[in-house]
Amino acid sequence: MSRRNPRVGFVSLGCPKALVDSERILTQLRVEGYDIVPSYDSADVVVVNTCGFIDAAVAESLDAIGEALEENGKVIVTGCLGKRAEVIREAHPDVLSISGPQDYASVMNAVHAALPPKHDPFLDLVPPHGVKLTPKHYAYLKISEGCNHRCTFCIIPSMRGDLVSRPVDEVLVEAEKLVKGGVKELLVVSQDTSAYGVDLRYAEREWRGKAHATRMTGLCEGLAELGAWTRLHYVYPYPHVDDVIPLMADGRILPYLDIPFQHASPRILKLMKRPGAVDKVLARVQAWRKACPDLTLRSTFIVGFPGETEAEFEELLDFLREAQLDRVGAFAYSPVDGAKANELPGAVPEELKEERLERFMEVQADISAARLARKVGTRQQVIVDEVDEDGAIARSKADAPEIDGIVRIDDGHALKPGQIVDVEIIHTDEHDLIGRLAA
């Protein structure tokens, strides 16, 4: 009787960029003969890919490590919180190994030490996306690591380092394989998609017999050839974003931009070490919408940043009303261990932060509801995510998975996940749409 394969349990926490890291580690484990199992008690060792961006994420990661130790005993830790090994060791001194994000070799070495592979390991890690943690019809496409910004509220550069872009041909080859494998939607992620390629001086690389620059525009031009939905996340509003809007207007990539504005007061943006030319941003948004009327804009904001006055918070609300963003997320400022913003004076009381957050979301809820209401009676192309007894749950071109709204199709029982169909919108609320299959 042959010896069973060694078995690894796996926990993936954090953002889509961490999810891509998890997919790469899982792919390598599979290649080397490890079985991935869904429970701690059936695993020979457990890998926990952590998040460490905000205090709540740190707590969740430490809880996950503790649970894995309690139920299994052999735990390997990787990911962003791994950059703060002392925090992990203090809470859980018995973990086998700690490594930071993208340190795939250290993870595999730790797994080998705890559980020798059944097959000889490759000298190099295999490409990502042999194993996918997303549904078959969409995938995250990570184009770079790290970030050159030094926002005072953020510690990502200390965890993931400075910007390191992947050559454009490497990204396009991966995207092409994903589409050939059945992926209908590519979600482009990074810490700063607009800065893609600046570290490589926008070097040109050949793909499909044509030179493409390693920059956002060159990447989008290549992705537009694949026939899949392409959705851009984490895009800073730099001037060269203008060059991508025609691709959206022509229907070659999705008319969707995820832009982390964070605030609208020039003084607060300066304290955050963020771009502060709010008038130029508004002008750019208006120009984009004129060139591409179907453009969806999503963003995130921080309220209650240290020193934020009532007048500056009102500036933020005025920006919301003028910008008329389609999708908005926000959170009350929370100190992050190691962030420069912790040293700023004028901490906003917790009660006031929460009150401002509530007011912010009330303003945006009215804006979102009004913008969605305009879609009633229109025909929208949607992608189906799941089908249940009540019909189908889909997303329009304006909706990224998990963070935006959905389109409920009451007569969609015969549809299948991954199908792209046309629906007529018959009803809406402040978040979601309800439609029926178009004739």
Side-chain angles (χ1 to χ4, degrees):
M1 187 175 182
S2 61
R3 177 172 68 91
R4 68 168 175 81
N5 290 345
R7 297 184 292 199
V8 178
F10 203 97
V11 179
S12 183
L13 303 172
C15 65
K17 295 175 285 294
L19 186 76
V20 175
D21 292 342
S22 294
E23 290 174 335
R24 188 167 184 183
I25 295 168
L26 287 167
T27 297
Q28 188 69 24
L29 288 167
R30 286 274 179 85
V31 167
E32 295 184 14
Y34 294 95
D35 286 341
I36 311 302
V37 293
S39 63
Y40 294 132
D41 56 2
S42 63
D44 298 306
V45 69
V46 177
V47 177
V48 181
N49 189 8
T50 59
C51 179
F53 179 47
I54 58 175
D55 290 347
V58 172
E60 182 184 20
S61 294
L62 292 176
D63 286 347
I65 295 167
E67 183 180 352
L69 280 169
E70 183 178 347
E71 297 193 24
N72 182 278
K74 291 184 176 182
V75 177
I76 294 165
V77 179
T78 189
C80 284
L81 190 57
K83 284 289 190 177
R84 299 165 62 188
E86 71 285 354
V87 173
I88 299 170
R89 289 286 183 198
E90 182 178 352
H92 303 298
D94 295 331
V95 297
L96 299 179
S97 171
I98 300 173
S99 57
Q102 308 123 50
D103 192 353
Y104 311 117
S106 291
V107 176
M108 296 310 302
N109 287 338
V111 173
H112 298 159
L115 196 62
K118 190 170 183 179
H119 304 153
D120 290 336
F122 285 177
L123 291 176
D124 297 312
L125 284 161
V126 298
H129 285 309
V131 173
K132 283 176 73 271
L133 297 177
T134 54
K136 182 180 179 181
H137 58 281
Y138 68 81
Y140 292 102
L141 184 68
K142 186 160 63 169
I143 62 173
S144 63
E145 300 285 0
C147 183
N148 288 343
H149 295 284
R150 293 298 182 264
C151 303
T152 57
F153 56 82
C154 180
I155 58 173
I156 291 297
S158 67
M159 293 179 171
R160 290 186 171 262
D162 290 336
L163 176 72
V164 178
S165 302
R166 299 173 60 196
V168 67
D169 58 328
E170 179 183 317
V171 178
L172 290 172
V173 166
E174 180 188 344
E176 189 171 26
K177 288 180 179 177
L178 286 167
V179 172
K180 287 181 177 179
V183 167
K184 303 290 184 66
E185 179 179 10
L186 296 165
L187 300 115
V188 176
V189 295
S190 68
Q191 295 300 140
D192 180 359
T193 296
S194 306
Y196 172 63
V198 66
D199 56 311
L200 300 178
R201 299 182 182 275
Y202 305 123
E204 289 192 347
R205 302 287 286 264
E206 187 173 300
W207 177 72
R208 285 187 170 183
K210 180 182 176 182
H212 290 264
T214 301
R215 65 184 305 155
M216 188 174 71
T217 307
L219 174 66
C220 289
E221 288 170 348
L223 293 173
E225 297 181 25
L226 298 178
W229 284 15
T230 295
R231 192 181 299 277
L232 302 180
H233 289 275
Y234 313 110
V235 177
Y236 281 64
Y238 302 149
H240 68 259
V241 177
D242 298 355
D243 299 334
V244 177
I245 302 300
L247 292 173
M248 297 180 176
D250 292 343
R252 300 181 65 200
I253 64 174
L254 292 185
Y256 180 101
L257 283 174
D258 171 18
I259 301 177
F261 289 122
Q262 305 298 4
H263 211 279
S265 160
R267 191 184 76 91
I268 295 297
L269 288 167
K270 186 176 180 180
L271 291 175
M272 290 179 169
K273 289 196 173 179
R274 304 280 296 182
V278 178
D279 290 344
K280 290 183 179 179
V281 167
L282 283 170
R284 181 156 284 120
V285 166
Q286 292 165 358
W288 290 342
R289 283 187 166 145
K290 185 176 180 180
C292 182
D294 292 334
L295 179 65
T296 293
L297 292 174
R298 115 167 306 278
S299 190
T300 52
F301 294 87
I302 299 172
V303 303
F305 192 77
E308 181 190 67
T309 66
E310 181 64 23
E312 288 165 336
F313 175 67
E314 288 292 344
E315 282 185 80
L316 176 54
L317 297 185
D318 288 342
F319 175 86
L320 279 185
R321 296 184 183 105
E322 189 165 355
Q324 291 286 302
L325 304 175
D326 301 271
R327 301 291 191 187
V328 169
F331 59 91
Y333 173 77
S334 175
V336 176
D337 191 22
K340 293 291 185 182
N342 299 343
E343 304 166 11
L344 295 173
V348 178
E350 290 298 323
E351 185 176 339
L352 182 55
K353 281 194 276 190
E354 293 302 323
E355 186 264 342
R356 286 179 180 172
L357 178 61
E358 185 176 344
R359 286 164 58 195
F360 177 98
M361 295 311 298
E362 285 176 357
V363 170
Q364 182 56 39
D366 290 341
I367 294 169
S368 296
R371 294 192 69 80
L372 285 176
R374 298 178 191 174
K375 297 185 178 182
V376 174
T378 66
R379 188 183 182 109
Q380 300 287 327
Q381 192 175 61
V382 303
I383 187 167
V384 178
D385 280 337
E386 58 182 282
V387 180
D388 58 26
E389 63 274 9
D390 296 322
I393 297 173
R395 288 177 293 105
S396 73
K397 293 179 178 180
D399 302 304
E402 299 188 12
I403 59 173
D404 292 328
I406 61 169
V407 181
R408 162 69 69 176
I409 310 171
D410 291 339
D411 60 346
H413 301 84
L415 299 175
K416 295 181 180 180
Q419 271 189 271
I420 295 177
V421 297
D422 287 342
V423 299
E424 180 187 351
I425 304 302
I426 58 175
H427 184 64
T428 180
D429 58 28
E430 66 186 47
H431 298 295
D432 303 320
L433 301 171
I434 298 172
R436 61 187 170 213
L437 292 172

